[in-house]
Amino acid sequence: MTFVVEQAVTVGRTEHDGPGLTNLVRRASSKAMYGRNLRVSHHTPSRHLPDTEREVDTAAADPADDGTEPAAVTEEAASAETEPRDSSDTATDVAAPATAQEHDRWRGWRAWRGWRARHPGAARALSVGATVLAGALVVVALLLPNRIERIEFASFVRIPAEGVLLAGLLLALPPRPRRIMAVVSGLFLGLVTVLKFVDMGFYQVLARPFDLVLDWILIENATDFLRETFGRTGQVLAVIGVIVLFVAVLVLTTLAVVRLTNLMVRHRPVAARTTLILGTAWITCMTLGVQIGTVPIATKGNAEFLGNRVEQVRAGLKDARVFQKQAAVDAFAKTPPDQLLTGLRGKDVLFTFIESYGRVAIDDPAMAKQTDAVLKEGTGRLKAAGFESRSGWLQSPVTGAGSWLAHSTFLSGLWIKNQQRYRSLTTSDRMTLTNYFGKTGAWRTVGIVPGVRRAWPEGKYFGLDHIYDSEHLGYHGPYFSWTPVPDQFSMEAFQRLEHGKKNREPIMAEIILASSHNPWSPIAHMIDWEDLGDGSVFHRIKKEGTDPTEVWKDPEKVRTEYRKAIEYSIRSLTEWVERYGDEDTVLVFLGDHQPVPTVTAGDTGKDVPVTIVAHDKKVLDRVADWGWSDGLKPAPDAPRWGMDKFRDRFMTAYGPQG
């Protein structure tokens, strides 16, 4: 108070000392009146203060901005006297502005305090509302499942063990560690919530959670898919939306935890009793197994969620060593070239992947009738052209997406279930089915890969003499959403560029048909092969197709378009064989994986059909002991192998001992 009196005396001299000194004195006075002494200024008669100071003094006596009563503030302030003082220890420790920027903030703070003083009811309602929203956000973040189908009302009326433990810890900590713990906990809770959202997306597409070690490359693939499907604008808007959501979740969960922490401290006795009651209730419900329907009331879901992630990371790190040992074993590595694939010498062998051609297209009652009709029609037309076929099932390592993993599994004879294995494979000397065809020197090996639109360095690993991507098939028509080239045109391009040439050597081709790729809208339809030209005709066909943004509003429409896309791919392939195949044509075609869960209706099965078509009866006789079904449609009980088993069985069947 002595300092304040001295400053008051000095003010009396300022009228003779100029405006600069006046401002200096006012700042000093302001610091004295509104610094740490602001705690006692509540009892200073306001009539002796300047008008602007009187407003701040009045506001300082208002309830705190969290819906609590003044007595609660007094309790916290009193408890703080026994703890180390800090410049940030209380919201009422305010320093006078020293810069123009600080002055603007000072004025904003004073305006806010003044508004609260004039409208205490509205301020209290706003404060209570913010506290309720903060509590709801924390509860949702703690109890949110990581799968959309598990989100239900019962999920959010449980008791989370992590929340009870965190509340007890925050109440027990001193002020400074408590503030740090509240911020860290809020950020961590936000990160866990974001990871749950990512898991939801992965379950919707891949029927599995996000892999923290191996799945980062898929984010880039997802943005590419958005660009190809919805255009550059749609891609940019989606990316911006994801970034904004990420930041918002982190900021809001942090602010919510900090606000609730302050509230608990100001109501420490009530908060302590509530925490104790919730802890006791959790132990009781966990012991007795109390549930709401099938949902247990006591949960430690976040601890289990994070524990699974830690185990997933450990498994991912160990998997590299396991895969290295598996890749070193190759039954044909030392087989002389002249002893490889002797049963197919002189034949044109086509390995063709139909995108997303899964078992659901054949077994699902909503699709079975139409798909069965297409397969029967194809079997009949091929038979009339002199071709026979056998079909079975393969289990893909992926579902929903990840075609390159399935392709490399089929060709390498190794289980390529993640990106780490794929990179290890494509940088190794492991021989694939295509490599072995090339090693014999008896075939020209080519790739028809319309889904590739940029550099594909991994293509060299598969030992193909020439690769035709989307830019080298002679196509001048439109994209069909993600699909760069319709399947019928891709097969016609293969005929024009390779198969139809005279005086050529036998061909081994890897062909990837992309028209049945998600989102299956719009899709092409079959036209007369003579009318394909350079593909310009597909501009009109695309305009007649459906709009993906409309189709994906209704799961049943998605399933219908998926079925039509599969039918188009099968017809493109079988009609090509009927039109251009000869007695030396051998076709192996299969699906690479099941479609997304929207189509499979939650079925997590990974089976895909596989078929061998040949004109020469001797070719099919070599696989007679496989037990596959006659025709293009595998029987429900037809043999089912892992996709990684096909390479060695195929090479054995068509080797010298086959």
Side-chain angles (χ1 to χ4, degrees):
M1 294 302 295
T2 303
F3 178 74
V4 176
V5 173
E6 290 177 354
Q7 297 304 315
V9 173
T10 305
V11 170
R13 303 172 186 166
T14 56
E15 60 186 29
H16 302 294
D17 293 337
L21 183 57
T22 300
N23 290 337
L24 178 63
V25 171
R26 286 178 178 173
R27 177 175 297 176
S29 177
S30 178
K31 287 183 177 181
M33 299 300 294
Y34 301 110
R36 295 196 178 277
N37 291 332
L38 190 60
R39 293 182 180 272
V40 298
S41 68
H42 296 180
H43 307 290
T44 304
S46 60
R47 63 180 180 273
H48 297 300
L49 298 174
D51 291 341
T52 56
E53 295 173 358
R54 185 180 304 119
E55 180 181 354
V56 176
D57 182 66
T58 303
D62 289 340
D65 186 23
D66 60 359
T68 60
E69 297 296 333
V73 179
T74 303
E75 180 183 343
E76 173 68 5
S79 65
E81 295 298 330
T82 62
E83 300 168 347
R85 296 295 302 275
D86 185 87
S87 59
S88 61
D89 200 36
T90 173
T92 58
D93 290 344
V94 183
T99 66
Q101 185 177 9
E102 290 180 0
H103 182 69
D104 290 340
R105 289 199 298 266
W106 174 267
R107 292 180 60 187
W109 181 83
R110 288 172 57 192
W112 164 245
R113 303 293 291 187
W115 180 86
R116 292 185 59 205
R118 292 190 299 272
H119 306 282
R124 180 172 178 77
L126 183 63
S127 178
V128 171
T131 301
V132 171
L133 290 176
L137 177 60
V138 171
V139 169
V140 169
L142 285 169
L143 297 175
L144 182 70
N146 67 334
R147 301 181 65 167
I148 292 178
E149 63 271 19
R150 293 180 180 175
I151 297 178
E152 54 182 310
F153 174 76
S155 300
F156 299 101
V157 292
R158 298 178 292 168
I159 304 174
E162 303 83 6
V164 176
L165 291 174
L166 179 61
L169 179 61
L170 290 172
L171 286 171
L173 288 173
R176 180 180 289 274
R178 181 174 62 241
R179 287 194 296 271
I180 296 174
M181 185 65 184
V183 171
V184 172
S185 299
L187 286 172
F188 186 74
L189 184 60
L191 289 172
V192 171
T193 304
V194 169
L195 182 56
K196 290 179 180 179
F197 282 132
V198 175
D199 271 3
M200 290 180 192
F202 267 68
Y203 273 112
Q204 288 299 104
V205 176
L206 301 175
R208 64 171 179 82
F210 177 70
D211 191 313
L212 288 167
V213 176
L214 306 172
D215 281 342
W216 293 102
I217 189 174
L218 299 182
I219 296 177
E220 180 183 359
N221 294 336
T223 59
D224 289 343
F225 172 77
L226 289 171
R227 184 182 67 252
E228 305 299 345
T229 304
F230 303 108
R232 181 68 177 175
T233 301
Q235 178 197 32
V236 172
L237 291 176
V239 171
I240 291 175
V242 169
I243 293 174
V244 170
L245 178 62
F246 174 77
V247 175
V249 170
L250 293 185
V251 171
L252 291 176
T253 53
T254 302
L255 293 177
V257 172
V258 170
R259 187 177 187 87
L260 293 180
T261 300
N262 292 336
L263 182 65
M264 287 193 303
V265 171
R266 292 189 176 98
H267 295 277
R268 189 184 298 273
V270 175
R273 287 194 298 270
T274 303
T275 302
L276 181 60
I277 292 171
L278 288 175
T280 303
W282 187 92
I283 294 173
T284 303
C285 292
M286 177 62 71
T287 303
L288 299 178
V290 180
Q291 295 182 336
I292 300 178
T294 59
V295 179
I297 292 180
T299 176
K300 49 181 179 179
N302 287 290
E304 294 174 349
F305 175 76
L306 295 174
N308 291 338
R309 287 314 162 90
V310 171
E311 185 59 34
Q312 182 189 61
V313 170
R314 289 177 179 172
L317 296 175
K318 293 179 181 178
D319 186 61
R321 295 190 296 271
V322 174
F323 180 73
Q324 186 177 12
K325 293 180 180 179
Q326 294 172 346
V329 179
D330 188 343
F332 300 94
K334 297 181 180 180
T335 304
D338 62 351
Q339 298 296 306
L340 293 169
L341 301 163
T342 54
L344 293 172
R345 297 298 172 102
K347 305 295 185 184
D348 294 319
V349 184
L350 285 58
F351 295 102
T352 306
F353 296 92
I354 297 180
E355 173 68 37
S356 300
Y357 178 32
R359 186 163 188 158
V360 65
I362 294 176
D363 287 355
D364 189 285
M367 309 181 206
K369 183 177 180 180
Q370 296 89 334
T371 304
D372 186 61
V374 172
L375 293 174
K376 283 184 177 179
E377 177 190 357
T379 300
R381 296 180 68 163
L382 290 176
K383 193 175 186 67
F387 290 88
E388 296 292 336
S389 53
R390 303 287 185 274
S391 299
W393 301 104
L394 296 178
Q395 183 184 27
S396 175
V398 294
T399 184
S403 301
W404 62 96
L405 304 181
H407 300 169
S408 54
T409 295
F410 179 83
L411 297 173
S412 71
L414 295 171
W415 194 250
I416 312 301
K417 61 182 180 180
N418 55 49
Q419 193 65 20
Q420 177 175 271
R421 288 191 167 208
Y422 179 75
R423 288 176 174 174
S424 298
L425 173 69
T426 54
T427 55
S428 72
D429 57 0
R430 171 79 178 191
M431 295 287 286
T432 65
L433 197 52
T434 50
N435 290 130
Y436 278 123
F437 271 92
K439 183 179 179 179
T440 65
W443 283 273
R444 170 175 166 78
T445 59
V446 300
I448 306 296
V449 288
V452 175
R453 285 152 289 180
R454 56 186 178 184
W456 186 41
E458 297 93 336
K460 296 180 180 179
Y461 164 75
F462 293 101
L464 300 173
D465 295 327
H466 193 82
I467 295 175
Y468 297 93
D469 59 21
S470 61
E471 301 298 322
H472 297 88
L473 293 175
Y475 180 68
H476 295 281
Y479 277 28
F480 283 77
S481 290
W482 183 90
T483 307
V485 184
D487 290 349
Q488 187 182 9
F489 190 93
S490 295
M491 296 305 302
E492 179 66 22
F494 170 63
Q495 176 66 22
R496 170 171 40 85
L497 296 169
E498 291 287 345
H499 188 266
K501 290 182 178 180
K502 296 181 179 180
N503 302 319
R504 59 172 178 78
E505 57 187 322
I507 297 172
M508 188 239 75
E510 178 187 356
I511 302 174
I512 301 175
L513 300 182
S515 287
S516 51
H517 193 288
N518 184 336
W520 312 298
S521 174
I523 55 175
H525 59 73
M526 297 298 296
I527 62 175
D528 193 301
W529 290 80
E530 300 293 339
D531 295 336
L532 288 172
D534 66 355
S536 298
V537 65
F538 287 101
H539 283 287
R540 172 182 56 80
I541 295 174
K542 181 178 180 180
K543 292 179 181 178
E544 297 171 354
T546 54
D547 182 351
T549 57
E550 292 298 322
V551 167
W552 278 82
K553 294 178 181 178
D554 184 352
E556 288 306 314
K557 290 182 179 179
V558 174
R559 289 159 61 81
T560 298
E561 295 302 303
Y562 164 77
R563 173 183 57 77
K564 291 179 179 178
I566 294 297
E567 292 172 5
Y568 171 70
S569 296
I570 293 173
R571 285 196 172 103
S572 297
L573 191 56
T574 55
E575 287 191 22
W576 181 90
V577 175
E578 179 188 16
R579 181 180 177 87
Y580 296 115
D582 56 33
E583 62 183 11
D584 291 325
T585 300
V586 177
L587 169 66
V588 180
F589 75 92
L590 67 152
D592 49 12
H593 55 71
Q594 287 261 63
V596 296
T598 301
V599 177
T600 61
D603 181 7
T604 57
K606 297 182 179 181
D607 289 356
V608 297
V610 58
T611 299
I612 297 180
V613 179
H615 196 286
D616 187 348
K617 187 176 182 299
K618 294 179 181 178
V619 172
L620 294 179
D621 287 344
R622 283 181 172 254
V623 297
D625 61 345
W626 287 4
W628 286 14
S629 309
D630 290 340
L632 302 182
K633 178 184 176 181
D637 59 349
R640 174 177 174 266
W641 308 338
M643 194 175 280
D644 58 329
K645 304 301 181 184
F646 182 86
R647 189 203 74 158
D648 287 6
R649 293 189 178 187
F650 184 86
M651 293 186 66
T652 299
Y654 293 104
Q657 307 302 321

